[in-house]
Amino acid sequence: MTRKYVVIKPLIAGNWKMYKTSQEGVKLVGTIKAGVHSVDDCDIVICPPFTLLSTINPLLDGTRIALGAQNMYVEKEGAFTGEISPLMLKDLGCRYVILGHSERRQYFGETDSLINKKVIAALTFSLIPIVCVGETLPERESGKAKETVKAQAEGALAGLSAEQFEKLIVAYEPVWAIGTGKTASSGEAQEMHEWIRALLAERAGKEIAAKIRILYGGSVKPENISGIMAQPDVNGALVGGACLKAESFIQIIRGAKKKELTC
Ligand code: PGA
């Protein structure tokens, strides 16, 4: 069957995780800025830790790099010691927020239902959520990868309107590929991305689903970005380890070109 794919401008997001002091972060941003100033065929997002958002925000003025956060709480304000609200992220210039990352699920007990509340809160404050889903190795090995991803996507995106679907980004990050150096093969990535797009189509309709960006994440490097991006349902990447070095992040951004596809 021939399927016409909508070509969506790729997006490369760098998840700094819990790395970089302010001095290191400022240096990294400076080098990235210099390396990508002529790139206009790819949207770029960096997600430093909360501690660096206010320092980095002004450094991105006049650049094509947008600011994102790695997490947030669901309330606008209140007695929630240690948490950060969507209003605070907006105030610091964030346009994006990563939600439901597997490290949040694994180490901080985040459930699909909490992630769902976060997605709704982010959209309410006009933040673009990058909603992460992905199976563990045992889930893949026992043939439950698609089932797991389906439950996560349906749970995290419950109750959204078609209009809200249009504003979000999904990131498929197989847990076994995160920080391990193992990447899903291009074929494995495409198969899961196609599955996620079909799930999105059930909820938001085919036309909207065709336009939703689905990023791949898990050991993305300069060496594998073009193979991943060549897959028709891959619209960009969420990069961890390789975004902490300016050169590799710049090379990934430059390698993220998307061609016109009819498969
Ligand atoms: P990685 O991390 O690129 O280091 O595998 C990706 C992520 O956790 O978003």
Side-chain angles (χ1 to χ4, degrees):
M1 198 178 68
T2 306
R3 193 178 139 197
K4 179 93 179 121
Y5 286 89
V6 177
V7 178
I8 310 169
K9 192 176 191 185
L11 182 143
I12 300 293
N15 172 10
W16 291 19
K17 306 197 181 186
M18 198 176 72
Y19 289 99
K20 304 295 177 191
T21 61
S22 49
Q23 211 182 350
E24 291 164 348
V26 167
K27 189 165 169 235
L28 178 58
V29 171
T31 321
I32 295 170
K33 270 177 19 178
V36 302
H37 76 275
S38 58
V39 176
D40 61 2
D41 48 5
C42 175
D43 286 338
I44 306 164
V45 182
I46 55 170
C47 303
F50 291 135
T51 48
L52 293 189
L53 294 174
S54 65
T55 308
I56 290 180
N57 181 34
L59 305 180
L60 302 181
D61 277 353
T63 74
R64 298 186 48 267
I65 306 171
L67 192 63
Q70 300 172 21
N71 180 33
M72 56 166 230
Y73 190 53
V74 298
E75 299 288 343
K76 178 179 161 196
E77 59 185 12
F80 301 101
T81 303
E83 292 297 321
I84 309 276
S85 82
L87 179 67
M88 292 166 179
L89 295 185
K90 282 297 279 188
D91 187 41
L92 293 182
C94 288
R95 283 185 47 210
Y96 296 82
V97 59
I98 300 170
L99 295 175
H101 189 280
S102 65
E103 288 151 15
R104 301 294 318 165
R105 295 172 186 264
Q106 190 181 343
Y107 304 126
F108 304 97
E110 291 202 8
T111 59
D112 291 327
S113 116
L114 176 65
I115 297 160
N116 180 234
K117 291 194 184 97
K118 291 187 175 192
V119 171
I120 292 167
L123 291 167
T124 306
F125 282 86
S126 303
L127 287 160
I128 301 171
I130 303 177
V131 186
C132 302
V133 294
E135 81 286 357
T136 60
L137 191 57
E139 284 161 347
R140 174 156 285 264
E141 285 175 346
S142 59
K144 295 204 173 100
K146 283 188 175 167
E147 204 180 299
T148 303
V149 166
K150 180 175 184 202
Q152 290 174 341
E154 287 182 348
L157 305 177
L160 301 188
S161 64
E163 201 184 40
Q164 287 175 313
F165 271 94
E166 263 186 293
K167 297 192 176 116
L168 57 82
I169 295 174
V170 177
Y172 168 57
E173 299 205 303
V175 178
W176 48 271
I178 295 179
T180 58
K182 289 185 200 153
T183 339
S185 67
S186 300
E188 283 168 333
Q190 170 55 24
E191 191 182 349
M192 191 61 89
H193 280 230
E194 195 173 344
W195 168 250
I196 293 169
R197 202 174 300 284
L199 295 171
L200 296 170
E202 273 174 30
R203 301 286 316 284
K206 268 194 170 175
E207 211 175 305
I208 288 176
K211 290 189 249 163
I212 298 176
R213 279 169 164 156
I214 308 177
L215 313 181
Y216 171 79
S219 298
V220 172
K221 305 181 266 267
E223 302 80 53
N224 58 25
I225 185 68
S226 60
I228 291 165
M229 289 303 298
Q231 302 308 309
D233 282 297
V234 176
N235 311 112
L238 181 53
V239 185
C243 81
L244 297 171
K245 289 199 187 96
E247 258 332 293
S248 56
F249 193 51
I250 293 164
Q251 280 180 42
I252 290 170
I253 291 163
R254 291 199 181 141
K257 302 217 180 324
K258 198 78 183 160
K259 297 190 191 82
E260 188 77 44
L261 292 160
T262 309
C263 299

